[in-house]
Amino acid sequence: MSVVELSDEENVAILAETFTDSLAALNDRDRQLAVLKRLYALLDSSSPQHFIYETVTGCEELQVIRVGDDLRIFCRLVMGIPEGDKHYNVLFAFYVDPHEYDRGTLQRLDAAARNQLEALGSLDELESVEQYLDEHNAFTGDDLDDRIDRMQG
């Protein structure tokens, strides 16, 4: 039996404009709901790191969350922010794709993931992190659950 490391930190997600654009481009409400439900499950989890399927080959920071057989969320999960006072796990969602991505897009997203990681890693006080999350309209699990309910309503 394997040991699953649990997290007491609050999970939040920052959805990049490229993510919301690519989600809308799916043009299929059921697939969009599947993506949002997968993100909600991660945000509602005490072990969000286990949702990461892989790091993209050829990229340093870009990670993948699987949604069903063919959809992929390209993201970066940062655990335990700020470092000295772990309070948040932050998921940056950059793009969702039906497994038909191109290398150039992935390289740009990897650079964006690296930039976000550096920006968030430089914040060493809880107040600074909370201000950053507020400025970037971070979503909680409850926020995503409300969005899912509205789409299903």
Side-chain angles (χ1 to χ4, degrees):
M1 178 173 9
S2 64
V3 175
V4 176
E5 206 172 308
L6 301 181
S7 169
D8 290 331
E9 292 82 29
E10 181 178 358
N11 301 322
V12 296
I14 295 174
L15 308 180
E17 186 176 338
T18 51
F19 176 83
T20 56
D21 290 348
S22 60
L23 183 65
L26 292 175
N27 289 323
D28 181 330
R29 189 174 73 85
D30 291 338
R31 294 179 88 188
Q32 292 166 339
L33 279 169
V35 169
L36 294 176
K37 286 178 180 181
R38 186 72 169 156
L39 288 178
Y40 171 76
L42 180 147
L43 294 179
D44 194 46
S45 174
S46 60
S47 55
Q49 68 275 25
H50 293 285
F51 284 79
I52 302 299
Y53 175 66
E54 65 185 352
T55 299
V56 176
T57 303
C59 294
E60 295 176 24
E61 302 298 340
L62 197 60
Q63 298 170 320
V64 176
I65 297 172
R66 292 177 65 173
V67 181
D69 291 333
D70 68 334
L71 288 174
R72 302 293 183 265
I73 299 170
F74 294 92
C75 62
R76 180 63 166 106
L77 178 62
V78 183
M79 300 286 291
I81 298 296
E83 191 172 327
D85 182 18
K86 296 176 180 7
H87 195 81
Y88 292 101
N89 299 318
V90 182
L91 176 76
F92 293 96
F94 295 106
Y95 196 69
V96 62
D97 193 274
H99 217 38
E100 300 170 2
Y101 43 84
D102 68 67
R103 179 68 43 206
T105 299
L106 294 181
Q107 294 298 324
R108 284 190 302 279
L109 296 175
D110 188 50
R114 189 171 34 261
N115 291 340
Q116 294 296 345
L117 182 62
E118 289 171 4
L120 198 54
S122 71
L123 304 174
D124 56 0
E125 295 181 10
L126 183 57
E127 184 177 316
S128 300
V129 171
E130 289 176 340
Q131 180 179 350
Y132 180 90
L133 296 175
D134 188 49
E135 289 171 0
H136 288 83
N137 299 314
F139 282 80
T140 65
D142 289 341
D143 296 331
L144 275 181
D145 194 36
D146 290 344
R147 183 179 263 193
I148 290 166
D149 286 345
R150 285 193 307 272
M151 286 182 71
Q152 291 177 328

